[in-house]
Amino acid sequence: MSKVKTHKIIGLRSTLLAIVFFIFIILLSNQFDAYNQSQLTNIATLLIAVFSITLLTGASGQISLGQGAIMAVGGYSSALLVTRLGFSMWISFILAIFISALFGLFLGLAAARLSGPYLAGTTLVMALAIPSIAVRFEGFFSGDVGLSVDYGNPPDWLTNLLGEISIEVWSLYVVLPFTAIALFAVLNLSNTRTGRTWRAVRDNEVAAALAGINIGRTKVIVFVCASGLAGLAGALYGFRGLVAPSVYPTDLSLTLLTAAVIGGLRSIGGAIFGTFAIVFLPDLIEKITKNFAIPENIGTYLPALTIGLLLLITVILNPRGAAGALEHLRHRKRH
Amino acid sequence: MNLRKPLILTVVASALVGSLVISSVSASAASDPGVSASEIVLGMQLPQTGAASPGYNKVDDAARAYFDYVNSKGGVNGRSIKLVVKDDTYKAGLTISTASKLINEDKIFAFFGSIGTQTHVSIIKDINRRKIPDIFVNSGYSGFYTDPKKYPTTFGGLGTYTVEAKILGKYLKEKYADKKIGILYQSDDFGRNALAGFTAAGLKFEAKKTAASFVAGTQGSLGLATQLGQLKANGVEIVIIAAVSSATAVAYATAGALAYKPTKWAVISVGADATTFQTILGAKGVPAATSAAMLAGTISASHAPAPGDAADEYVTAFKKINDDFNKGPDKRWDNNVMQGMNIAYLATEALMGVGKDLTRAKLIAYLENNGSKLSSAAFAPLGYSKSTHEAFTGFWLGEYDATTLLAPIDGKRVVYTTDSGSGAVTVSSYKRPAIAADALPKVA
């Protein structure tokens, strides 16, 4: 099969899967009540950020504990463009991708020289430092108070077409197209030569270099792509109501990493599963525990404890996450 | 990466996880959500866990205890009051999600007593555009209340930080005219609002010298040594604290470690709860007697009686209800419990006042038209009107004694009143109505 034809098939499959995902979420939202519709919006938003970890850590082997901070870069970029310069929300989302990617370029240039715990430490420091910048330059970033932004109301043409649209459904309509496009992009990147190059660097840098791959440049490119995605997620996340340091705390980065690990760091399907799990698990635990007389000082910590436990079990017993386990089951069935 | 069939499978699997928590969509009722013939559902957001939680995590249990008491007496117009609480850990990202849950899943009638300025900023626009009452908010940030056109459904549950700071600031300026006064504040709307009030009272601070700030919520992880060191180096003799209780405790401990002994501490009321202060220091190994001695002499303000004021009729009545009905993990009687009880008392009074035909719009209209006539344990009336939704308009000043009781300065309680603008500080003539024998509000 020619190279062009292979690319066309991959493109077609990616498009098809993104469309299936889009329709599936829309159909799912129709079955959900308003709260779970808002949770779907959360999933659609955070999924883009988890994809950035799938690319960065899963595909290229670079550990980042600071994706939440890059989300903050995207969030502040779009909120400042809207509130200070009067840009449209949609344009601000697109520009947030480029601004975050540019940030990722600088970060990537430094990161290309680091690996393992050194890179993890550097990105963690970034996660801690970026919210402080917003406070340090309070006049520009509005400090702790942050910038109040939202998705607004659905346009008239849409309400004329579909009837009354709730705030929750409108939020999902704003976010979901971006998630579908992100899914398309990640699928394409992963399955083409680019993805193979990244995986080659991840698996053996020396062998990859001997095969003619520029290691440093590859790492920087991955950082740029992952940062663009995280920035977009941050912009969408902020427009739920507020862009402020407390919206992008350090534990947001860890939550994203947890989702990626539980689902399977190297799998896009795993990213989807992991994101569903971290968003819906606390609700599920609350529903189960509601029927038991659990003391308040234990009940409030249960969701975090359960997710932490799930993460530990995954890392110890099933490091490839849910996607890896699924793959393993399929192999056992075949043989 | 093999991404085709597994992707579809995992999407389906993810949907299954989601499906497990789908709530059945209830048929829409004709009346507002959260109110039925037998029940009124209120929702509260607060930090039950996390750095900012100590002390404040008792407010919900106290309010629930009062509502349970009201329910035991037949409820409000035959309806029992249910309080649903969500922990937002003082992080705005989570506040947005939990607000959605309260609105859409718990179907609350109104937000009640939510705690936290910077967290409430993230949802206030959304609550107001949905026309959901947002009553007795536990934040003294004046920006929420002084423009009802901007936030028509939001009503305060604390006197504004500006009002309190103006009153406290005027006293400090006059009493300690010969001393160098500095401030430690958290750099959010709470801290800045208080700073504006102290400035309006005529106190002058110099950034990086006599004014030190910190990011709210970082007091536990990063400490306050830099800030206290700065105030010490600049010879500040009177230290004002405009921060949450946990930060006050850290500040006192840090000052001790730095051998910094200001002549006087003055703490904004929400950061001056004695029990929280002692609990936090107790966890660091400071004996209760030592922490009580550290707090002694601290100046603070209050709109309500001191929790330790055993002679006060509201204190006696609320304390009894707390003993009998509070099922929370920590029901020790303090400022936070008192505040939870008091806003629950006010909410009950307002719901009674609206009457049997309860709707969101009627509750808001009732508070605007009659809110200033509602009575409570406070020594100052609510300031509610069509032009402002500010809560208690006055404070009295006190000094903590060796038993951690906030006693009126010079032995006589004088309540001062002012506004969140440029109005003068004057002595209030308000006479607090007595509490009924059954501790239930009486509405004409």
Side-chain angles (χ1 to χ4, degrees):
Chain A
M1 211 183 288
S2 75
K3 199 170 154 186
V4 175
K5 207 171 173 188
T6 313
H7 277 186
K8 267 189 178 171
I9 291 170
I10 291 169
L12 204 66
R13 277 179 179 157
S14 305
T15 310
L16 197 67
L17 281 167
I19 291 170
V20 167
F21 175 82
F22 183 90
I23 294 170
F24 176 75
I25 297 290
I26 291 287
L27 291 176
L28 199 60
S29 76
N30 288 337
Q31 304 303 313
F32 277 17
D33 62 7
Y35 169 65
N36 285 304
Q37 284 168 345
S38 73
Q39 289 291 73
L40 273 184
T41 308
N42 267 348
I43 288 170
T45 307
L46 294 176
L47 184 54
I48 302 172
V50 177
F51 281 157
S52 77
I53 295 177
T54 308
L55 287 187
L56 195 62
T57 311
S60 85
Q62 299 183 85
I63 299 166
S64 171
L65 300 178
Q67 292 308 92
I70 300 171
M71 282 179 73
V73 172
Y76 274 101
S77 304
S78 58
L80 287 168
L81 286 168
V82 169
T83 56
R84 302 260 200 270
L85 300 175
F87 276 62
S88 106
M89 172 181 80
W90 303 98
I91 304 286
S92 80
F93 290 157
I94 308 292
L95 291 177
I97 300 174
F98 290 105
I99 295 168
S100 308
L102 189 65
F103 181 82
L105 174 67
F106 293 118
L107 188 67
L109 288 172
R113 298 168 182 274
L114 301 167
S115 62
Y118 303 103
L119 180 57
T122 306
T123 49
L124 182 62
V125 167
M126 184 178 72
L128 288 163
I130 284 191
S132 311
I133 292 173
V135 178
R136 174 70 183 80
F137 301 100
E138 194 184 316
F140 189 66
F141 293 108
S142 293
D144 272 0
V145 182
L147 302 154
S148 189
V149 281
D150 59 44
Y151 299 125
N153 294 312
D156 291 342
W157 65 265
L158 196 63
T159 46
N160 290 338
L161 191 71
L162 302 175
E164 198 183 328
I165 298 169
S166 70
I167 292 167
E168 287 74 21
V169 170
W170 170 238
S171 304
L172 185 63
Y173 286 175
V174 171
V175 173
L176 196 54
F178 288 102
T179 316
I181 293 167
L183 175 61
F184 167 79
V186 174
L187 283 168
N188 249 357
L189 278 171
S190 303
N191 290 321
T192 52
R193 187 169 179 269
T194 315
R196 287 195 297 276
T197 308
W198 293 356
R199 288 194 293 280
V201 172
R202 175 196 71 196
D203 292 338
N204 192 322
E205 283 191 17
V206 177
L210 286 172
I213 296 170
N214 184 327
I215 306 295
R217 195 176 65 184
T218 304
K219 284 185 170 181
V220 172
I221 290 171
V222 184
F223 249 100
V224 169
C225 294
S227 300
L229 283 174
L232 171 63
L236 295 168
Y237 196 63
F239 271 69
R240 294 187 312 152
L242 185 74
V243 169
S246 68
V247 177
Y248 308 97
T250 313
D251 56 2
L252 176 62
S253 301
L254 305 179
T255 304
L256 297 173
L257 191 59
T258 303
V261 171
I262 289 173
L265 266 171
R266 296 181 179 183
S267 159
I268 292 166
I272 297 174
F273 178 81
T275 311
F276 265 85
I278 55 150
V279 173
F280 276 125
L281 253 182
D283 291 340
L284 186 62
I285 292 161
E286 194 183 310
K287 275 191 189 300
I288 294 168
T289 54
K290 216 162 144 180
N291 302 318
F292 303 98
I294 295 174
E296 183 186 304
N297 48 357
I298 296 174
T300 45
Y301 289 101
L302 263 183
L305 272 175
T306 311
I307 291 174
L309 200 65
L310 192 62
L311 180 65
L312 278 176
I313 292 170
T314 304
V315 170
I316 295 166
L317 301 177
N318 180 34
R320 290 177 63 204
L326 194 69
E327 189 71 10
H328 182 67
L329 279 176
R330 286 176 65 232
H331 274 291
R332 273 184 60 180
K333 229 178 183 181
R334 234 179 263 164
H335 301 293
Chain B
M1 276 182 264
N2 186 1
L3 298 158
R4 288 167 289 278
K5 283 181 185 170
L7 176 64
I8 293 172
L9 281 171
T10 42
V11 168
V12 174
S14 306
L16 285 174
V17 176
S19 305
L20 286 170
V21 292
I22 297 174
S23 302
S24 58
V25 183
S26 59
S28 60
S31 61
D32 283 334
V35 58
S36 67
S38 59
E39 194 175 64
I40 301 163
V41 185
L42 302 177
M44 180 190 266
Q45 294 179 294
L46 78 163
Q48 285 182 310
T49 57
S53 66
Y56 304 138
N57 55 8
K58 297 165 76 175
V59 175
D60 57 326
D61 294 317
R64 191 183 283 114
Y66 187 79
F67 289 141
D68 285 349
Y69 171 71
V70 172
N71 296 341
S72 75
K73 298 284 180 188
V76 175
N77 296 315
R79 297 181 177 110
S80 60
I81 303 173
K82 181 182 171 189
L83 180 63
V84 185
V85 177
K86 299 290 174 212
D87 177 17
D88 66 7
T89 72
Y90 212 61
K91 286 176 186 143
L94 202 53
T95 312
I96 297 166
S97 304
T98 52
S100 172
K101 193 161 196 173
L102 287 170
I103 296 166
N104 297 309
E105 196 169 79
D106 298 302
K107 311 273 183 209
I108 58 166
F109 171 70
F111 279 88
F112 160 79
S114 292
I115 295 177
T117 302
Q118 59 165 302
T119 46
H120 209 65
V121 170
S122 67
I123 53 163
I124 191 167
K125 258 173 82 177
D126 190 43
I127 294 174
N128 275 269
R129 75 169 159 168
R130 291 173 195 260
K131 299 184 172 60
I132 302 172
D134 181 21
I135 59 174
F136 305 113
V137 180
N138 272 305
S139 164
Y141 172 50
S142 61
F144 289 159
Y145 318 118
T146 48
D147 184 4
K149 283 196 184 109
K150 192 175 177 191
Y151 301 128
T153 74
T154 300
F155 293 82
L158 290 171
T160 68
Y161 302 126
T162 315
V163 166
E164 184 178 350
K166 276 172 74 178
I167 293 168
L168 189 54
K170 181 175 185 284
Y171 171 79
L172 294 173
K173 187 170 183 284
E174 288 167 3
K175 175 86 177 173
Y176 299 104
D178 57 333
K179 304 278 184 198
K180 199 169 191 179
I181 301 175
I183 187 167
L184 170 72
Y185 68 99
Q186 55 184 60
S187 59
D188 60 4
D189 273 339
F190 162 20
R192 272 192 291 273
N193 214 206
L195 186 65
F198 285 113
T199 309
L203 294 176
K204 289 185 175 64
F205 306 106
E206 207 176 336
K208 306 286 169 200
K209 287 188 175 170
T210 58
S213 65
F214 66 95
V215 177
T218 60
Q219 64 270 17
S221 52
L222 301 179
L224 296 170
T226 310
Q227 291 82 353
L228 268 302
Q230 175 201 313
L231 296 179
K232 184 186 178 191
N234 285 284
V236 171
E237 296 161 284
I238 311 291
V239 178
I240 298 169
I241 298 181
V244 295
S245 295
S246 52
T248 304
V250 173
Y252 276 59
T254 308
L258 295 174
Y260 176 33
K261 289 177 185 161
T263 311
K264 211 75 177 164
W265 293 92
V267 185
I268 284 276
S269 57
V270 292
D273 179 62
T275 311
T276 311
F277 180 84
Q278 288 193 290
T279 303
I280 293 170
L281 290 180
K284 292 177 188 292
V286 179
T290 310
S291 58
M294 287 163 76
L295 189 65
T298 299
I299 296 169
S300 190
S302 180
H303 60 267
D309 187 352
D312 188 276
E313 56 181 341
Y314 279 87
V315 170
T316 312
F318 286 170
K319 199 163 184 284
K320 170 88 171 63
I321 294 169
N322 184 56
D323 289 342
D324 296 344
F325 287 86
N326 194 333
K327 299 184 194 85
D330 181 2
K331 58 194 269 188
R332 280 177 300 165
W333 178 249
D334 63 11
N335 267 334
N336 296 302
V337 177
M338 177 90 187
Q339 171 67 4
M341 289 261 167
N342 200 38
I343 56 170
Y345 180 92
L346 279 164
T348 305
E349 200 173 353
L351 292 169
M352 280 176 168
V354 177
K356 191 88 181 158
D357 186 16
L358 179 63
T359 64
R360 286 171 168 173
K362 282 184 178 172
L363 177 62
I364 291 162
Y366 181 84
L367 286 173
E368 277 193 343
N369 296 324
N370 303 285
S372 61
K373 294 175 213 150
L374 297 178
S375 67
S376 75
F379 291 108
L382 293 167
Y384 298 170
S385 70
K386 285 192 191 301
S387 58
T388 182
H389 290 178
E390 290 168 81
F392 308 109
T393 51
F395 288 84
W396 58 274
L397 301 174
E399 201 169 290
Y400 280 96
D401 67 14
T403 66
T404 70
L405 172 76
L406 185 70
I409 287 174
D410 301 329
K412 188 171 176 255
R413 182 186 291 118
V414 181
V415 180
Y416 297 94
T417 184
T418 186
D419 57 21
S420 297
S422 55
V425 175
T426 56
V427 175
S428 169
S429 58
Y430 175 74
K431 295 273 177 268
R432 184 183 71 172
I435 191 167
D438 60 2
L440 291 173
K442 307 295 170 209
V443 179

